[in-house]
Amino acid sequence: MAAETEADDDLSKPPFRGCVFCYTAEMGVYGLRKGLRRVTDD
């Protein structure tokens, strides 16, 4: 559970690790977190 809270605090873009499918999924999660942060901050 602590790993999730650390990941929530870090909104930097995920680094590309060589797998296009993995990177696309990580960018999707990044976008969702960033969007949710904007909605909850307003």
Side-chain angles (χ1 to χ4, degrees):
M1 192 67 128
E4 289 179 16
T5 56
E6 289 175 10
D8 288 341
D9 292 338
D10 183 26
L11 284 180
S12 60
K13 288 185 180 180
F16 182 71
R17 296 183 186 136
C19 177
V20 176
F21 299 111
C22 298
Y23 184 69
T24 302
E26 288 177 358
M27 283 301 293
V29 171
Y30 165 76
L32 282 173
R33 286 185 178 158
K34 192 170 182 179
L36 287 174
R37 173 107 6 133
R38 280 190 179 172
V39 170
T40 56
D41 284 347
D42 290 340

